[in-house]
Amino acid sequence: MTIRADLHIHSCLSPCGELTMSPRAIAAAAAESGINLLALTDHNTARNVPAFAAACRDQGVAAVFGCEATSSEEVHVLALFEHERDAIEFGDEVYATLPDVRHDPARFGDQVVVDEEESIVATLPKYLIAASAWSLTQLGRLIHGRGGLFIPAHVDRGSFSVWSQLGFLPVDEYDAVERVGEGRIDTGDLPVIAASDAHEPGRIGCRATEFEGAGPGFAALGAALRERRVRPIART
Ligand SMILES: [Zn+2]
Ligand SMILES: [Zn+2]
């Protein structure tokens, strides 16, 4: 079957994500737009993963779990895991290294953790857009140590990317790169994914990654990346 994956999405926990981006709204919008494999990737935390997992189960959408970590070079990296626990623990490790910059909701938007019923159960006090203490290489080791996929985000974008921060892609054990079609950067023969980076429900699935597999899930995604069978697509 054809699997259509959107692997880069922000919930209401990301300060840039709208409050309408509850895990339930995300899963419903994905199902509506034909996405059958979905990842939640909030900035430097995965605390909304439990509510996201429940919402995806209810919608019949397969899910992988992760976050978008910021390296010490201010490069964004997608970390995707098969298991909720790995995503949450990795996210907590990253969050713990963020500088102690208090989040200001009035200026930057809310950072809310919700439960399966969409009740707000916590707000995270540290500003989530800040850089972690770990370099790109160190993040890669931590992600692979938990069996995850290490994917530099929007590598050709003009901000928070390997292109904007370093000017090139350093040699490392990447599983793929995410492109958005802006700048030019050499990524060799690495598999290329596309994703919405949605911060509002209407954007979910506007860019996606397709591949063939027996069924949507982490194992099928990993195999398609290793075998370079993924196709980045954009909704017309
Ligand atoms: Zn980003
Ligand atoms: Zn993002």
Side-chain angles (χ1 to χ4, degrees):
M1 65 177 289
T2 299
I3 295 153
R4 181 175 282 199
D6 191 345
L7 303 171
H8 184 168
I9 293 175
H10 295 272
S11 78
C12 49
L13 179 50
S14 292
C16 46
E18 289 187 358
L19 271 178
T20 53
M21 284 295 263
S22 70
R24 291 210 169 274
I26 292 169
E32 175 104 345
S33 63
I35 296 292
N36 51 14
L37 179 61
L38 197 56
L40 184 67
T41 55
D42 282 312
H43 288 290
N44 296 318
T45 178
R47 281 281 153 188
N48 265 351
V49 154
F52 172 73
C56 288
R57 276 195 297 274
D58 289 352
Q59 282 289 344
V61 177
V64 295
F65 311 105
C67 67
E68 181 176 24
T70 309
S71 76
S72 55
E73 305 95 338
E74 299 209 295
V75 170
H76 286 180
V77 173
L78 298 175
L80 303 179
F81 301 94
E82 179 168 19
H83 303 294
E84 292 175 51
R85 176 181 292 271
D86 283 312
I88 293 164
E89 290 180 357
F90 172 78
D92 285 354
E93 287 176 339
V94 172
Y95 182 82
T97 78
L98 295 181
D100 198 14
V101 175
R102 294 288 106 177
H103 175 60
D104 178 357
R107 283 180 66 196
F108 301 116
D110 295 294
Q111 298 185 161
V112 297
V113 180
V114 296
D115 66 13
E116 293 182 21
E117 276 73 49
E118 308 220 303
S119 300
I120 294 173
V121 293
T123 58
L124 295 188
K126 287 200 285 191
Y127 182 50
L128 287 171
I129 304 294
S132 77
W134 285 313
S135 69
L136 187 60
T137 297
Q138 288 171 318
L139 283 174
R141 290 204 190 109
L142 288 166
I143 294 164
H144 284 156
R146 292 183 178 277
L149 298 169
F150 172 34
I151 305 174
H154 42 69
V155 292
D156 52 349
R157 207 179 75 181
S159 58
F160 297 113
S161 72
V162 284
W163 184 52
S164 71
Q165 305 307 111
L166 306 173
F168 68 104
L169 184 68
V171 174
D172 214 322
E173 303 290 318
Y174 311 111
D175 295 290
V177 294
E178 179 206 18
R179 280 187 181 271
V180 296
E182 291 180 11
R184 294 171 72 88
I185 180 169
D186 183 4
T187 55
D189 65 350
L190 286 167
V192 174
I193 67 162
S196 69
D197 198 0
H199 295 72
E200 57 190 69
R203 298 285 297 165
I204 291 172
C206 67
R207 289 192 297 260
T209 301
E210 281 190 353
F211 55 95
E212 303 302 315
F218 185 87
L221 172 64
L225 293 177
R226 279 192 301 279
E227 296 160 14
R228 290 166 171 54
R229 291 187 285 102
V230 292
R231 301 184 297 274
I233 60 162
R235 189 163 63 197
T236 51

